[in-house]
Amino acid sequence: MGSAQRLYEGVDLGSEGTEGVINYMRTDSVRVEMEAITEARKLIKGVYGNEFLPEKPKMYSSKKSAQDAHEAIRPTNLNHPPEKIKNHLSIDQYKVYILIWRRFLASQMNPAIYDTVSCEIATDKNLTLRASGSIIKFQGFLAVYQEKEDSDDREVKKKEEDRLLPPVEEGQVLNLLDVESTQSFTKPPPRFTEASLVKELEKSGIGRPSTYASIMN
């Protein structure tokens, strides 16, 4: 919150002076002014191309409980991409800024397109192995922003990776690289991370974006 506050209050951008690079961040609204959406669409078209741009601007509905006095959190000036102003930001400020930048652009881009695939693999041991997952056909907003599982659990991370399959064709000969035998045990629910705790607070209607940090402390 401290890094976000400094980005909002103003950052010294050298010859360009001091400028607030994000708008007011203590908000849970998803509403964005049309002027900012138009600028985002112009940038997406120029950098990524027409296929990444929806026909119409994307509009999102805030939850009934949201405080809608302020816009959604977004960059104030799209002429300041993260790489351009990186040298003027601390490491934490840069991480917060690049997250806001990417999520804002991604929110105005076309969705990703996957082919869902199920492979049956015949072996020389009279066993049939099965793999199910997806093959990505079109990156869409993933070209800008990809959300990862906020977990230290290796099994969760491995499952995420296994959902994406490499391109395969019927009749293709596969080489066996490794065989792994594992035993599964029932595990207790994982401990809260900061992100999952905020999600739980939000679901339970406890606190607001401006109070999450102090609640966690």
Side-chain angles (χ1 to χ4, degrees):
M1 288 301 285
S3 295
Q5 182 70 33
R6 285 186 283 278
L7 292 173
Y8 166 66
E9 288 176 351
V11 175
D12 183 1
L13 299 177
S15 59
E16 294 187 45
T18 300
E19 191 175 321
V21 293
I22 66 168
N23 62 353
Y24 189 69
M25 68 289 166
R26 288 183 179 87
T27 175
D28 47 1
S29 170
V30 295
R31 175 179 56 81
V32 176
E33 293 295 337
M34 201 61 218
E35 187 181 346
I37 292 175
T38 303
E39 287 299 309
R41 286 174 61 82
K42 197 185 298 181
L43 180 68
I44 292 163
K45 184 177 179 180
V47 176
Y48 299 97
N50 272 326
E51 64 271 28
F52 288 86
L53 195 66
E55 285 184 23
K56 296 177 181 176
K58 289 194 169 189
M59 312 299 281
Y60 298 91
S61 301
S62 294
K63 295 174 185 173
K64 288 181 181 177
S65 59
Q67 291 178 333
D68 204 37
H70 299 278
E71 274 186 87
I73 308 166
R74 63 171 177 83
T76 53
N77 188 343
L78 293 182
N79 291 319
H80 290 149
E83 300 73 30
K84 184 181 173 185
I85 64 170
K86 185 177 182 179
N87 293 337
H88 302 287
L89 306 176
S90 71
I91 292 171
D92 284 343
Q93 287 170 358
Y94 176 70
K95 286 178 180 177
V96 173
Y97 185 63
I98 202 168
L99 175 66
I100 293 169
W101 176 276
R102 286 175 176 173
R103 284 193 63 127
F104 175 59
L105 282 189
S107 73
Q108 289 300 322
M109 295 174 78
N110 274 324
I113 298 173
Y114 293 88
D115 266 347
T116 303
V117 179
S118 184
C119 296
E120 289 199 347
I121 303 158
T123 71
D124 57 356
K125 305 291 183 186
N126 288 326
L127 291 172
T128 300
L129 308 177
R130 188 171 284 112
S132 296
S134 303
I135 295 172
I136 193 160
K137 285 183 71 179
F138 173 66
Q139 267 193 305
F141 71 88
L142 295 178
V144 176
Y145 176 76
Q146 192 164 354
E147 198 163 83
K148 298 288 186 183
E149 189 74 30
D150 185 24
S151 170
D152 293 327
D153 191 329
R154 288 181 186 177
E155 281 186 30
V156 171
K157 287 181 178 177
K158 193 170 188 314
K159 279 179 189 172
E160 287 289 326
E161 289 166 10
D162 289 347
R163 283 179 196 161
L164 281 174
L165 296 181
V168 286
E169 292 177 8
E170 191 173 352
Q172 184 176 340
V173 177
L174 304 177
N175 295 323
L176 175 65
L177 299 179
D178 190 28
V179 174
E180 186 181 349
S181 178
T182 57
Q183 186 175 0
S184 297
F185 296 95
T186 303
K187 292 182 179 179
R191 290 180 179 273
F192 279 117
T193 61
E194 281 196 1
S196 62
L197 185 55
V198 167
K199 204 171 186 180
E200 193 66 28
L201 291 171
E202 201 175 25
K203 194 167 81 177
S204 305
I206 301 169
R208 306 219 64 80
S210 57
T211 60
Y212 290 151
S214 57
I215 290 172
M216 281 190 281
N217 286 336

